[in-house]
Amino acid sequence: MSSPVSATPWRHLPADLAAAMRPQLPDTVAAVAGAVTEATPAFAGIADDKFTRDVHTAVQVALDRFLDLVGTGEPALPPRFREVFVGLGAAEAREDRGPEALLAALRMAARLLLRTASRSLARLRPVEPEELIDLSDAVSAYIAELAAASTDGYALQLREQAGEGDRRRHLAELLLRGDGLPSAELAGGLVGPAPGPVFVDDHLVALTLRGEQRALAVLTERRLAPLSQLRPAQRENLLGTLYAWLRHWGSRAEVATELFVHPQTVSYRLKRLRELYGDDLDDPAARFELLVVLTGQLATSIRKASGTSA
C-alpha cells in the first residue's frame, strides 16, 4: 500500500530520486523556465531581461529545494526560500497583473516536475506504481506551498499599494457606492492621466484584497450563487469540500484527510460541485475568486465566533 498522505509527503520519496535528477538540473531548470513562460499568455509577451532572470531564479530555487526535501520531514519553504515566491507574487501586483497567470505557471511547473522526476527514476530502475503516487502527492503539496507564498506576496503588495494614498480607495468607493462614475477630469485626477473607462467588475478581486468589504460582498454573492438553492447543511458540506479542494490543488486524498471523510464522499461532492459550477472549476480566474471568497467567509466566521465567546 502507498504511504498515507501527510503534511510533508516528500518524506516518502525514494532516496535515489535526488541523485537521479541533480546531474540534469541545469537543463531541467532552463526547460521548465522556458515552458512556463511560453505557455502562459500573460508572460509570453514580456520582453524584459529582468523578468526572464527572475523566472529562471525562481525555478532554480524551487527545484533545488524540492530535491533537498526528498526523504526528509522538513517544512517546504523556510523563510529565505519562501521570500523568493512572496517576491514573485508582489511583483505581479506591482505590474498590475492578476495572480491567475502566476498560478497557471505554477500548475505547468508541477506537471513538468512530475514528468521529469518520473523519467529520471525510470532511467535508473523500474518504478513502482506506489512510488508514482507518492511522487504525485509530494509535487502537489510542494507546488501548493509555492502558490500560497506567491498569493501572500500578491495580497501584501496590494495592501501596501493601497496605503500609498487615498486616490484609488476613493475611486473604488465611488464605483462601489453606485453613485456613477466621476467626471473625465475627476477620474483623471484619481487614477492618473488618460485612464480610460474603469469598470468595477474587472477589479473585484483586487479591490477585495485591498480590504474593500463591499467588493467582497459582490464577489461572494456572485461566486456562491450556484449554491443558493441548496439546503443549509448540504451547502455547508459542499463549501467545505470546495475550499479544501482549492487549497489542495485537487488532491482528493488530501481533501478526504482534512475533512475526515471517505475519498468516495469527496468524489460525490465534487461531482455535485461540477454540476453546479460547470467549467468555472477549470478556470484559473474563477478558482482564485472562489478561494478569495471562501477565505473571506472563514475569516468572518472566526471573528463572529471570537465575538460570541467573548
Side-chain angles (χ1 to χ4, degrees), residues 9-21 66-67 69-72 117 121 124-128 130-135 138:
W10 35 85
R11 74 168 66 210
H12 304 302
L13 296 179
D16 55 355
L17 174 63
M21 288 188 66
F66 183 77
L67 295 185
L69 288 172
V70 171
T72 77
L121 272 181
L124 287 182
R125 56 173 175 77
V127 180
E128 298 294 329
E130 289 79 7
E131 290 180 309
L132 293 178
I133 294 171
D134 288 339
L135 182 57

Side-chain angles (χ1 to χ4, degrees), residues 238-254:
L238 290 181
L239 283 176
T241 302
L242 178 58
Y243 186 46
W245 182 77
L246 290 167
R247 289 186 295 105
H248 291 298
W249 286 57
S251 171
R252 299 185 189 212
E254 292 186 40

